């Protein structure tokens, strides 16, 4: 049975982004009302253009690092605002730290004032370059706090810590999702993440740039699966943190080849230097999500890539 959010009023920060916009769609489909806060720092107006005029969708153009308030009752506050791709957070280090700290504080404050449930979009990056593989929620991580990626990793670690402090101090209901790499329609073509970059290069017939020797691994979850996981977590009794991601692991070279195939392209693979602190391996241990939420990713890589490439082709008008 689909999780029930019918009649809920939900505040969603970052609702114009890749994940936020898909989540907004699902919440609206389930009968909820959504108040979306976004300043379009890394999001795209087109992601929510189809919701213009929707009677249960309301957009507030605001930076959530400033005071956050809405009139009326609220059942849940979902904090998804944050630059999320390495290109974005390396270019926006201070904004990333601010939205993870001040933004989380404001979102928690709003949830507390409204006696609402709070859900945080955290990340597998809290595990850093992991020395335990696959990563269970009990692993504390291996993060370089002063490295360039530390701005994102530490912002999310602080955000989790703050959410738990509110939970312990004020008895607030919180839900913490640790999201692993996710892909699908609405990722920005230029966001620098592997999937859109390889698709752009393959469709243009340009060389596909693999960093390092391409033996580093990623486990990629299709967006619809992840949204199922958010819905299950939001409506469950579990506090988390809970890993949400696919346990199907591929090397980056294998990923490039799968995307080349999905695009019907003959682009060559080219190797480039690895970014600093780039994790060598990444795969969630999802046993907790399976046992507490009955959730696991369903969409295979081939199927998910076909749907994603189809969407990019359509957007590019090919
Ligand atoms: P995204 O960049 O597409 O979306 C983030 C949204 O937040 C954007 O619309 C952006 O404009 C908005 N935003 C950023 N700072 C803001 C601010 N100060 N005030 C208001 N709005 C602001 O990224 P995404 O991939 O959709 O990621 C969404 C959330 O999920 C992020 O918190 C991210 O850390 C987390 N996450 C994503 C992934 C993934 O694979 N996509 C993995 C792990 C965690």
């Amino acid at each position: 049975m689909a999780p029930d959010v019918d009649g809920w009023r939900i505040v969603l920060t970052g609702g114009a982004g890749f994940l936020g916009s898909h989540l907004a769609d699902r919440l609206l489909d389930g009968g909820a009302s959504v108040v979306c806060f976004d300043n379009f720092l890394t999001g795209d107006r087109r992601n929510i253009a189809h919701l213009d005029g929707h009677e249960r969708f309301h957009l507030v153009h605001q930076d959530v690092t400033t005071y956050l308030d809405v009139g009326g009752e609220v059942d849940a506050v979902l904090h998804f605002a944050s630059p999320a791709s390495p290109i974005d957070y390396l270019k926006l280090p201070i904004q990333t730290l601010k939205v993870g700290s001040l933004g989380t504080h404001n979102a928690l404050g709003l949830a507390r004032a409204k006696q609402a449930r709070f859900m945080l979009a955290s990340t597998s990056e809290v595990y850093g370059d992991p020395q335990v593989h696959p990563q269970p929620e009990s692993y504390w991580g291996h993060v370089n706090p002063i490295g360039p990626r530390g701005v994102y990793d530490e912002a999310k670690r602080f955000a989790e810590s703050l959410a738990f402090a509110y939970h312990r101090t004020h008895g607030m209901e919180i839900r913490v999702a640790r999201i692993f790499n996710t892909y699908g329609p609405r990722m920005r073509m230029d966001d620098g993440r592997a999937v859109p970059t390889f698709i752009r290069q393959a469709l243009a017939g340009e060389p596909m740039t693999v960093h390092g020797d391409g033996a580093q691994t990623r486990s990629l979850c299709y967006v619809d699966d992840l949204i199922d996981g958010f819905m299950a977590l939001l409506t469950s009794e579990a506090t988390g943190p809970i890993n949400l991601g696919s346990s199907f692991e591929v090397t980056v070279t294998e990923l490039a080849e799968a995307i080349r195939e999905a695009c019907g392209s003959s682009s060559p693979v080219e190797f480039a230097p690895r970014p600093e602190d780039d994790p060598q391996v990444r795969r969630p241990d999802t046993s907790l999500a399976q046992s507490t939420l009955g959730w696991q990713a369903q969409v295979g890589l081939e199927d998910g890539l076909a749907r994603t490439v189809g969407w990019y082709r359509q957007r590019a008008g090919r």
Side-chain angles (χ1 to χ4, degrees), residues 106 112 126 157 249 285:
N106 290 334
R112 184 172 177 230
V126 300
R157 289 165 69 97
E249 189 177 5
D285 177 335

Side-chain angles (χ1 to χ4, degrees), residues 77 106-116 118 166 169-170 172:
V77 176
N106 290 334
L108 277 162
L110 176 62
R112 184 172 177 230
K114 301 287 180 183
Q115 296 182 307
F118 174 82
Y166 269 68
T169 308
H170 301 304
M172 269 177 62

Side-chain angles (χ1 to χ4, degrees), residues 182-253:
T182 302
Y183 70 102
R186 301 186 191 160
M187 292 181 89
R188 282 195 349 259
M189 209 51 152
D190 62 348
D191 82 1
R193 292 187 261 201
V195 171
T197 305
F198 288 154
I199 293 179
R200 178 171 49 77
Q201 293 171 329
L203 289 179
E206 292 166 6
M208 300 169 77
T209 327
V210 167
H211 293 124
D213 63 2
Q216 67 275 27
T217 67
R218 297 294 180 266
S219 308
L220 292 155
C221 185
Y222 187 65
V223 63
D224 289 1
D225 277 337
L226 188 75
I227 303 297
D228 287 343
F230 290 149
M231 297 297 285
L233 176 59
L234 176 63
T235 54
S236 77
E237 294 306 311
T239 294
I242 291 198
N243 287 339
L244 294 177
S246 162
S247 30
F248 181 69
E249 189 177 5
V250 288
T251 68
V252 172
T253 302

